[in-house]
Amino acid sequence: MKTVLITGCSSGIGKETAIYFAKNDWNVAASMRNVNFTEFGGFANIKKIVLDVSDYESITAAIDFAIKTFGAIDVIVNNAGYAAAGAFECASPEQIKKQFDVNVFGLMNVTRAILPYFRSKKHGAIINIASIAGHIAFPTFSLYNSTKFAVEGYSEALQYELNQFNVKVKIVEPGPIKTDFYGRSMDVLENSQIKDYDNFITPALQKINNSGNGGLLPISVAKVIFKAANSKCNKMHYPVGIQAKVLLLFKKAIPSCLFRWIIKTYMTT
Ligand SMILES: NC(=O)c1ccc[n+]([C@@H]2O[C@H](COP(=O)([O-])OP(=O)(O)OC[C@H]3O[C@@H](n4cnc5c(N)ncnc54)[C@H](OP(=O)(O)O)[C@@H]3O)[C@@H](O)[C@H]2O)c1
């Protein structure tokens, strides 16, 4: 029986992915910041573990616990993440730093902690949950976009290093998915002294929220993550949902200025 360790399992994509792997006979180390509020319906092969991606000690402790409990880790899913959304000028230095601490450095920390183990075993897979926002920039998402673009570049460069050790790197790129991402997890960038962006940011944030409400269910991402985890080939990019696939295609097919005009017009009117 194979074992996956997933970050950010308290809700949304992480929680659904934990359940999907467990139903398909994997052991699951379902990690999250606070283990008290999330239940998995009695799966004996799911173990909840405390892991905050911005706390390196909690990462190494969770990895050790998973290996001791299940005997091995075969796959890591770097899922934990959130969006800071709004006008960049309204962001505090703390908000900027935290966005990168979780979405980029957190993901790198988990990867850095598992690599000695995967390298010694000459086996393993790292699945990074990026986003369509790792390829396409959207109004209000300057911070979130920059973290997901970073995850794309990091992952692509990393796979060159790790191929020789039989360690795969995969990137899952969902479009809008209906989760807490658009609610409690979102950090809305506000500054009561700056009003000049309001006419632009307010409709754009509304569009972002609407896209979440109309988004796919997280199970659709769980299935793609499962496919990536079981893949024997070197495919790296796994976009999720027709909307993500069409937008990615459009971005490649039409001139950049036209593409940006379409995104701006759609998002801000
Ligand atoms: N929903 C979408 O439309 C969408 C689209 C593309 C990509 N994604 C990506 O999918 C991933 C999961 O998001 P989701 O949609 O499932 O949203 P979600 O339901 O809000 O889940 C986010 C998860 O990340 C966890 N998290 C936040 N900061 C953390 C930290 N420092 N350490 C550990 N865990 C932390 C949250 O834990 P707490 O409960 O403790 O806050 C929660 O479990 C994110 O990386 C997101 O960028 C989402």
Side-chain angles (χ1 to χ4, degrees):
M1 213 163 156
K2 286 190 171 179
T3 299
V4 60
L5 187 152
I6 307 167
T7 63
C9 286
S10 66
S11 65
I13 294 168
K15 182 175 184 188
E16 208 62 55
T17 303
I19 294 169
Y20 193 78
F21 273 74
K23 280 185 179 161
N24 284 280
D25 295 328
W26 279 57
N27 294 317
V28 180
S31 79
M32 60 199 86
R33 287 192 285 196
N34 188 335
V35 294
N36 294 328
F37 304 111
T38 307
E39 291 308 325
F40 289 100
F43 283 98
N45 51 339
I46 301 184
K47 295 281 181 255
K48 291 191 281 184
I49 313 179
V50 174
L51 189 162
D52 181 332
V53 297
S54 47
D55 171 2
Y56 198 72
E57 270 181 32
S58 81
I59 296 171
T60 52
I63 288 173
D64 287 350
F65 178 85
I67 293 170
K68 279 195 190 100
T69 306
F70 296 122
I73 296 176
D74 300 279
V75 174
I76 288 274
V77 179
N78 279 313
N79 165 72
Y82 74 97
F88 173 74
E89 197 185 336
C90 296
S92 68
E94 294 75 25
Q95 284 173 309
I96 297 170
K97 184 174 178 304
K98 187 175 170 210
Q99 178 75 118
F100 276 81
D101 277 345
V102 175
N103 290 13
V104 181
F105 302 130
L107 174 147
M108 287 181 175
N109 280 339
V110 174
T111 305
R112 190 158 65 86
I114 195 67
L115 277 182
Y117 175 78
F118 277 174
R119 188 165 43 79
S120 71
K121 294 271 172 192
K122 299 239 177 325
H123 164 79
I126 296 159
I127 302 179
N128 292 333
I129 311 306
S131 170
I132 187 180
H135 291 280
I136 296 170
F138 298 98
T140 78
F141 266 4
S142 59
L143 291 182
Y144 183 66
N145 271 130
S146 50
T147 64
K148 293 299 183 181
F149 272 61
V151 169
E152 289 281 343
Y154 166 69
S155 307
E156 278 204 23
L158 187 68
Q159 52 90 32
Y160 291 116
E161 297 169 22
L162 299 183
N163 269 351
Q164 59 182 317
F165 306 120
N166 191 32
V167 177
K168 291 191 179 352
V169 182
K170 307 274 185 186
I171 317 172
V172 173
E173 298 152 341
I177 308 296
K178 198 173 177 173
T179 67
D180 292 352
F181 179 88
Y182 299 90
R184 70 164 181 103
S185 297
M186 191 166 276
D187 180 12
V188 178
L189 306 171
E190 283 164 327
N191 183 331
S192 57
Q193 318 245 293
I194 306 174
K195 294 280 168 214
D196 288 350
Y197 295 99
D198 285 3
N199 62 337
F200 176 80
I201 291 296
T202 308
L205 280 177
Q206 190 58 52
K207 279 276 166 53
I208 297 259
N209 276 325
N210 294 349
S211 74
N213 287 333
L216 297 173
L217 295 176
I219 182 76
S220 49
V221 187
K223 286 180 180 173
V224 174
I225 295 172
F226 188 73
K227 190 174 162 196
N230 286 291
S231 155
K232 301 265 181 284
C233 72
N234 277 333
K235 177 175 168 164
M236 258 203 100
H237 298 274
Y238 292 76
V240 184
I242 190 74
Q243 198 176 336
K245 288 173 188 164
V246 168
L247 269 175
L248 289 169
L249 208 66
F250 257 96
K251 188 176 180 188
K252 281 190 190 138
I254 66 177
S256 166
C257 56
L258 176 59
F259 185 78
R260 280 185 281 117
W261 179 82
I262 292 170
I263 294 285
K264 184 185 169 207
T265 308
Y266 172 72
M267 295 285 296
T268 59
T269 50

